[in-house]
Amino acid sequence: MEVRQKHNRRLRKKLYLGEFAVNLFEIHVKLSTSKESDLDAFIASFVDQLEKQGLTYFGYSDPDGIQGHVLSQQRYESPTESQRQALSEWCGTYPTIESYELGELVDINQA
C-alpha cells in the first residue's frame, strides 16, 4: 500500500514544495581571451544583464570564463524561460564569448 503524504501550506513552504518550489539553471561560458581586463569587463556586463532581469548568479570564474548557476533574486521565485532565453541571446552577441551553454530549469533541491 502506497502512503502519500499531504503537506499543509506551511510545510510546503518550509520544504520548498509545490507552489514554493524554486528552479535555477546552470551556465558555462568560455571566453575567447585570457586577459584579466576582458574577464573583468565580461563579469561587469554579465552582472548588469542579470540585474536587469531580476536574476542572480553564484559560481566561480577563472581566466577562461565562468561556471555556475542562475536563479531569481526574489525568494520563492524562479527564472522564467523568457529570462533564460534573453540571457542566451545576450551571450550569443557578447563579443568575447567563444562558447556558452545554458542548462534547463531544474528544481534547486535536485541540482
Side-chain angles (χ1 to χ4, degrees), residues 29 31-49 57 60-66 90 94-97:
V29 175
L31 300 178
S32 58
T33 178
S34 296
K35 291 184 198 172
E36 189 173 327
S37 60
D38 289 339
L39 178 62
D40 291 344
F42 165 74
I43 290 174
S45 185
F46 178 68
V47 168
D48 287 344
Q49 181 65 23
Y57 164 83
Y60 68 91
S61 65
D62 59 30
D64 294 329
I66 64 166
W90 178 84
Y94 195 82
T96 59
I97 292 179

Side-chain angles (χ1 to χ4, degrees), residues 2-99:
E2 185 177 317
V3 177
R4 183 178 166 157
Q5 291 184 337
K6 283 181 128 181
H7 299 292
N8 62 27
R9 180 178 165 82
R10 183 184 65 81
L11 283 175
R12 286 193 315 272
K13 187 173 183 179
K14 190 173 189 168
L15 297 171
Y16 292 88
L17 298 173
E19 69 270 31
F20 301 105
V22 177
N23 294 321
L24 55 69
F25 60 89
E26 284 188 62
I27 184 167
H28 303 274
V29 175
K30 183 172 186 202
L31 300 178
S32 58
T33 178
S34 296
K35 291 184 198 172
E36 189 173 327
S37 60
D38 289 339
L39 178 62
D40 291 344
F42 165 74
I43 290 174
S45 185
F46 178 68
V47 168
D48 287 344
Q49 181 65 23
L50 290 176
E51 287 178 349
K52 285 179 193 174
Q53 295 184 43
L55 300 173
T56 191
Y57 164 83
F58 69 93
Y60 68 91
S61 65
D62 59 30
D64 294 329
I66 64 166
Q67 182 173 335
H69 295 87
V70 175
L71 63 154
S72 175
Q73 291 177 349
Q74 301 300 315
R75 189 171 185 187
Y76 301 117
E77 289 189 19
S78 299
T80 63
E81 187 59 39
S82 62
Q83 288 171 315
R84 186 181 161 283
Q85 184 62 35
L87 186 60
S88 179
E89 290 170 6
W90 178 84
C91 287
T93 61
Y94 195 82
T96 59
I97 292 179
E98 181 178 308
S99 65

